[in-house]
Amino acid sequence: VVGAFSDPQAAFGRLAGHTRPGGHLVLVHPAARGVAELAAEQARLVKGSETHSCAWDELRRLASLHRLRCELEMLESRLDCTECLARSPTGVAILSHCLDADLRRLCEPKMLRLLQSLWRLATIGEHGAHVEETTAIFLLSKPRAGSAGAV
């Protein structure tokens, strides 16, 4: 995900530079809801720092800047967070991966605040709990030499 780089514009430029005319790039970018929302909300608590992420509009701007055509598809999904809310070893491992932090070492008050946020985001059903996720999939195309510029 380009937004994870410290300098998204430079990273995007490098990706575009390595794409040949007529070639394609596929970028997957989380929405600011679901796990991404939890990560942004909990970054200071868990990691001790803010996280930043490119907004979809910023990715479109970068595509235009590098003369890439941009198509956007939205993928709706659900993350089963039952194990996470139960604080099982598997659930803690899943949360650690999603938040890019080792939560096994997180002190109890911080873990409780994290779980409180997850409970707020989760939908609880008869067969467990899940968090709604939206992911943007950008298909970027570099025009062939001599064709019209970016759309």
Side-chain angles (χ1 to χ4, degrees), residues 1 12 24-31 56 59-60 69-77 133-141:
V1 176
F12 204 97
H24 305 283
L25 289 169
V26 176
L27 299 178
V28 178
H29 190 73
W56 297 344
L59 290 175
R60 284 185 176 172
R69 292 188 191 119
C70 182
E71 294 177 42
L72 174 63
E73 293 290 329
M74 304 304 286
L75 176 66
E76 300 292 331
S77 60
E133 292 273 293
T134 302
T135 303
I137 300 173
F138 290 88
L139 175 60
L140 305 172
S141 305

Side-chain angles (χ1 to χ4, degrees), residues 14-130:
R14 189 166 171 113
L15 289 170
H18 286 287
T19 304
R20 65 183 176 159
H24 305 283
L25 289 169
V26 176
L27 299 178
V28 178
H29 190 73
R33 99 176 207 210
V35 172
E37 180 181 359
L38 183 65
E41 189 178 300
Q42 298 300 315
R44 181 175 301 281
L45 174 71
V46 174
K47 292 181 168 182
S49 65
E50 298 282 338
T51 60
H52 64 87
S53 180
C54 277
W56 297 344
D57 291 342
E58 176 66 4
L59 290 175
R60 284 185 176 172
R61 185 190 72 76
L62 290 171
S64 178
L65 180 71
H66 293 283
R67 301 185 140 179
L68 299 170
R69 292 188 191 119
C70 182
E71 294 177 42
L72 174 63
E73 293 290 329
M74 304 304 286
L75 176 66
E76 300 292 331
S77 60
R78 292 179 172 182
L79 171 67
D80 185 327
C81 61
T82 307
E83 292 293 321
C84 302
L85 293 172
R87 290 180 73 172
S88 72
T90 300
V92 172
I94 291 168
L95 268 177
S96 293
H97 174 76
C98 290
L99 299 179
D100 194 28
D102 186 354
L103 299 181
R104 294 173 300 172
R105 297 187 177 122
L106 195 62
C107 69
E108 189 64 16
K110 288 181 179 182
M111 179 59 97
L112 290 175
R113 288 203 318 231
L114 174 64
L115 290 172
Q116 199 172 35
S117 294
L118 185 57
W119 276 102
R120 183 180 46 76
L121 291 172
T123 300
I124 312 298
E126 198 174 306
H127 302 289
H130 69 271

